[in-house]
Amino acid sequence: QQQQQQQQQPSDTSGSQQQKTDNTKTNKSTKMNKEEYLEHVARKLSMKAKDAGHSDKLGIAEALVQLGEVLMKEHKFSSSINILGRAETVHKEIIHETILAVASAMKRQGQLHQAKGNHELAKLYLNTAAELKGSPSAANLKKAWEVHTEHKPRRSKDTELKEAVAKVERRLKRASSEAVPLAHTLKLLAKAKRGEIATKSLRRSNYR
């Protein structure tokens, strides 16, 4: 019996060590205040966004904006700025991906024009696609919209070309719609920065 009791002791010790570890983790999370906890969540979301698909990134960006807004309303401007900055980064990645998708669709349309002997249109579309891919900026997206609006065929009987044109338009519209939440995030970020400046100014005047 004594030997059996001795054999049981190590397992009992390991169990108590595991309990201590669990308690330590719980204590750490309990010690976090709301501001620290939301920043912790924001960091995890940012890490998740790196490997996320396009639609998941949209959800992550929206969640980050909501966290930033919560902290801004509570006048935690520094943390709000950090989190909204993370949201801005994810939004820009989203738009970057969509603009590259526009470039791919425009390149395909250019190749179809080339195959049908429309060399001027082919050159225009292929150059626009190359510019978008090289620099997926708002300026180049605007230029792509202008090219599409001015040169898309109105009454084409070519099914393949019609499908290519429709794909370009869908992707252009998606890119434009995804720019809206980015603009909203940038406005919130500017507001949080103004709040931080005002708070610091108030603190300085109180110290005098």
Side-chain angles (χ1 to χ4, degrees):
Q1 285 180 346
Q2 285 178 348
Q3 284 178 348
Q4 285 177 351
Q5 285 174 352
Q6 285 173 352
Q7 286 173 354
Q8 286 174 353
Q9 281 177 354
S11 62
D12 291 341
T13 306
S14 63
S16 62
Q17 284 174 345
Q18 181 63 45
Q19 185 63 43
K20 283 179 183 177
T21 306
D22 293 341
N23 288 340
T24 305
K25 286 179 181 177
T26 307
N27 289 338
K28 281 182 180 178
S29 61
T30 308
K31 285 176 184 176
M32 279 188 190
N33 59 34
K34 184 178 180 180
E35 183 180 4
E36 290 168 338
Y37 176 71
L38 292 184
E39 284 212 78
H40 170 71
V41 171
R43 282 194 296 274
K44 287 206 162 191
L45 285 171
S46 292
M47 287 173 67
K48 190 177 177 183
K50 289 176 183 177
D51 300 317
H54 196 81
S55 59
D56 287 337
K57 279 182 183 171
L58 287 166
I60 289 168
E62 187 180 343
L64 287 168
V65 169
Q66 288 172 357
L67 294 178
E69 281 188 290
V70 167
L71 288 170
M72 184 162 54
K73 285 173 184 175
E74 295 183 3
H75 300 278
K76 307 292 185 183
F77 295 113
S78 180
S79 295
S80 177
I81 289 164
N82 288 340
I83 293 174
L84 289 170
R86 291 179 185 278
E88 179 191 359
T89 300
V90 179
H91 276 308
K92 285 182 174 177
E93 286 172 4
I94 290 165
I95 294 170
H96 183 273
E97 287 174 0
T98 306
I99 291 177
L100 290 179
V102 173
S104 174
M106 291 197 90
K107 182 181 179 181
R108 175 60 185 150
Q109 191 174 335
Q111 288 168 340
L112 287 173
H113 285 307
Q114 199 169 44
K116 296 173 192 309
N118 300 327
H119 298 298
E120 285 188 21
L121 271 180
K123 186 178 178 182
L124 179 63
Y125 273 84
L126 291 172
N127 286 346
T128 304
E131 286 172 6
L132 275 174
K133 190 175 179 181
S135 176
S137 63
N140 281 336
L141 183 64
K142 185 182 177 184
K143 185 179 176 183
W145 260 115
E146 288 168 356
V147 168
H148 174 74
T149 305
E150 189 174 344
H151 297 284
K152 70 176 179 180
R154 306 296 170 186
R155 293 179 183 176
S156 175
K157 293 180 181 179
D158 188 321
T159 305
E160 195 175 15
L161 183 59
K162 280 170 74 176
E163 286 175 359
V165 171
K167 184 179 278 190
V168 168
E169 186 150 326
R170 280 197 307 273
R171 291 183 177 182
L172 281 167
K173 284 179 178 177
R174 190 200 299 169
S176 298
S177 68
E178 287 171 356
V180 175
L182 172 61
H184 175 64
T185 302
L186 292 173
K187 281 182 182 177
L188 289 174
L189 195 52
K191 186 178 178 182
K193 286 177 179 177
R194 288 195 301 271
E196 186 180 38
I197 291 166
T199 303
K200 285 180 179 178
S201 177
L202 185 63
R203 281 176 187 163
R204 281 197 297 269
S205 64
N206 288 338
Y207 286 142
R208 288 173 189 170

